[in-house]
Amino acid sequence: MIDLKTIAKFREIETPFYYYDLDVLYSTLNQLKKESDNSGYKVHYAVKANSNERILKIISSYGFGADCVSYNEISAALDAGFAASQIVFAGVGKTDKEIDAALRAGIFCFNCESIPEIEVINHIATKLNKVARIALRINPYIEAHTHKYITTAVEESKFGINTWELDEVLKKIAAFSNIDLIGMHFHVGSQITRMSVFKSLCSRINELQEWFSSHGINLSVVNVGGGMGIDYENPEKAPQFEDYFSLMNEFIDLLPGQELHMEPGRSVVGQCGSLISRVLYIKNGNQTLFAILDAGMTDLIRPALYQAHHKIENLTSDGSIYRYDVVGPICESSDTFAKYIELPETKRGDIIAIRSAGAYGEAMASRYNLRNLPKSVFSDEL
Ligand code: LLP
């Protein structure tokens, strides 16, 4: 809930901006920490979800690790206080320069997605006289039942190594002098709301555990990736970490001494952020009214890119209900946050909150139309 005192403060601030409610962030992190301490599972926060400096600092203060997908993310994580020994580096297209820098920084592990990539890592590690720890990202062939752009584990996907290639991968790795295979890694997709998807992942992991054991390989890490969804209909609802952790506990058969790692992103930061904007104009359409905001797809691209639904609230009106198309100022028809939704009578100058925008909001903002990047405001600054 965004309270009246906060709304009064919003009126004094230039819009659009991201508002981060620290109470929500801390309570989510406390919950996650509790589950991780109880289970012994290690959390690597997926930095791509939100790499705002202050948010990274807060998350690192909990002692969590970081899951990064570029050297710039690794560098931001290090600056924010994450330990190099708790950083994993993922992605299908790591450049030579990034691999070199990550090895020099002494990160924990590279999550690898192809033989050619492992070959390059071995080559660079040999030159630097270092041993690179790697985990194999394996395609588990599981349907995530989410938007197709964020489904990653179906057969024809650029992500992960196919299981039919694993024999070949092991042969190659055995010949690489500076590679230490320590784990297997998975990521089924994002915004997954059906726990059965994670249950399928657990079964697949158990099968692969047997496969590796039968090949005489002991892996010390099983990394289940991220993907836990949040409730976009209900921004006040915290993610169900407890259910997720107990499912992993019940269905994954870890071998003695093996660690379970995970990489939550959205579930950690999604509900603490809202995009705050002002209504510029109300314009007549043929069937609807357009509420034109000063925030657009450059600030929050998820509705335009994934037809994602975010709850929209008019914080400054309690008038009678009308229907509006809520749109931004960008020169694209896809710059639409929601179509034909009910809002209390909305006027120029009203303050609008687009909720559950803490994940993949600010992080995906662009300067298209040469707009300014959105600023961020934290609840303790008001
Ligand atoms: N690990 C890996 C290997 C990933 O690729 C991702 C997200 C995560 C962890 C974190 O997943 P999460 O817990 O946040 O679901 N921009 C899209 C989401 C893209 C997710 C990409 N990978 C969106 O706005 O919905």
Side-chain angles (χ1 to χ4, degrees):
M1 263 276 286
I2 301 179
D3 59 37
L4 290 174
K5 225 173 95 196
T6 306
I7 296 169
K9 298 276 186 189
F10 285 171
R11 288 185 188 274
E12 297 160 19
I13 305 173
E14 189 184 352
T15 44
F17 61 88
Y18 274 93
Y19 169 68
Y20 295 112
D21 185 331
L22 290 176
D23 290 343
V24 174
L25 180 61
Y26 284 124
S27 98
T28 310
L29 288 168
N30 291 339
Q31 204 51 40
L32 185 59
K33 175 86 176 137
K34 186 174 136 209
E35 294 300 328
S36 134
D37 285 349
N38 286 344
S39 60
Y41 301 162
K42 292 202 170 160
V43 170
H44 292 84
Y45 164 66
V47 170
K48 65 170 86 63
N50 191 316
S51 48
N52 179 295
E53 210 180 306
R54 179 137 188 235
I55 291 203
L56 288 184
K57 281 194 178 138
I58 292 172
I59 297 175
S60 83
S61 75
Y62 278 73
F64 295 137
D67 158 40
C68 300
V69 286
S70 67
Y71 190 76
N72 286 349
E73 281 194 359
I74 294 177
S75 174
L78 291 170
D79 289 350
F82 288 94
S85 60
Q86 293 196 82
I87 291 180
V88 295
F89 186 11
V92 287
K94 305 173 186 79
T95 66
D96 297 27
K97 200 171 148 191
E98 288 180 310
I99 293 167
D100 182 281
L103 280 167
R104 287 174 198 270
I107 63 158
F108 173 63
C109 184
F110 292 82
N111 291 335
C112 295
E113 309 228 5
S114 67
I115 295 175
E117 178 197 336
I118 302 170
E119 213 166 330
V120 170
I121 295 176
N122 181 54
H123 180 71
I124 298 174
T126 308
K127 262 198 336 211
L128 294 177
N129 199 22
K130 288 184 186 285
V131 172
R133 282 174 297 275
I134 69 160
L136 300 177
R137 175 166 176 180
I138 301 170
N139 187 340
Y141 311 123
I142 291 168
E143 177 51 65
H145 299 289
T146 180
H147 193 277
K148 67 174 189 295
Y149 290 1
I150 45 180
T151 294
T152 50
V154 288
E155 200 148 352
E156 208 48 77
S157 154
K158 71 172 176 177
F159 297 105
I161 294 170
N162 287 303
T163 41
W164 52 261
E165 233 186 328
L166 282 176
D167 272 314
E168 180 68 13
V169 173
L170 288 193
K171 258 191 235 146
K172 291 268 184 192
I173 290 177
F176 291 149
S177 53
N178 293 49
I179 295 288
D180 181 13
L181 174 61
I182 62 160
M184 51 175 143
H185 173 243
F186 304 87
H187 176 71
V188 184
S190 201
Q191 183 51 20
I192 295 169
T193 49
R194 297 190 199 177
M195 281 291 166
S196 61
V197 172
F198 294 117
K199 201 172 155 192
S200 306
L201 175 63
C202 295
S203 316
R204 193 54 51 86
I205 290 173
N206 295 339
E207 286 165 23
L208 283 158
Q209 291 269 54
E210 282 183 21
W211 187 89
F212 278 101
S213 297
S214 72
H215 285 71
I217 300 211
N218 295 319
L219 299 175
S220 53
V221 172
V222 174
N223 185 331
V224 295
M228 236 190 99
I230 59 169
D231 190 346
Y232 281 95
E233 297 290 339
N234 185 359
E236 315 303 331
K237 196 162 157 206
Q240 307 295 302
F241 291 126
E242 203 179 331
D243 295 352
Y244 180 78
F245 276 74
S246 54
L247 183 131
M248 295 293 160
N249 184 34
E250 188 174 352
F251 294 105
I252 294 190
D253 301 328
L254 287 180
L255 302 174
Q258 232 174 15
E259 286 183 357
L260 191 133
H261 292 195
M262 55 180 66
E263 304 170 337
R266 187 189 319 265
S267 51
V268 181
V269 289
Q271 299 295 38
C272 74
S274 299
L275 176 61
I276 307 298
S277 65
R278 274 188 175 75
V279 176
L280 289 174
Y281 306 106
I282 299 295
K283 175 175 167 173
N284 290 323
N286 288 328
Q287 319 266 346
T288 184
L289 289 166
F290 290 103
I292 303 175
L293 309 185
D294 60 6
M297 65 193 280
T298 52
D299 306 298
L300 177 67
I301 201 175
R302 303 193 67 256
L305 194 57
Y306 316 118
Q307 298 87 48
H309 166 80
H310 286 258
K311 190 168 181 201
I312 298 180
E313 294 167 355
N314 184 332
L315 301 180
T316 48
S317 164
D318 54 7
S320 356
I321 300 294
Y322 290 87
R323 284 193 176 267
Y324 297 89
D325 281 14
V326 180
V327 302
I330 315 291
C331 306
E332 302 254 354
S333 302
S334 57
D335 185 26
T336 297
F337 290 117
K339 274 187 173 303
Y340 208 59
I341 57 158
E342 289 187 350
L343 285 178
E345 184 174 13
T346 296
K347 296 198 177 73
R348 173 176 167 82
D350 278 348
I351 309 262
I352 302 289
I354 306 183
R355 307 291 309 275
S356 309
Y360 307 108
E362 190 181 353
M364 292 180 81
S366 80
R367 293 211 54 208
Y368 182 42
N369 284 199
L370 270 191
R371 284 166 57 82
N372 294 326
L373 288 173
K375 296 197 175 51
S376 52
V377 173
F378 287 82
S379 49
D380 65 349
E381 294 166 352
L382 297 179

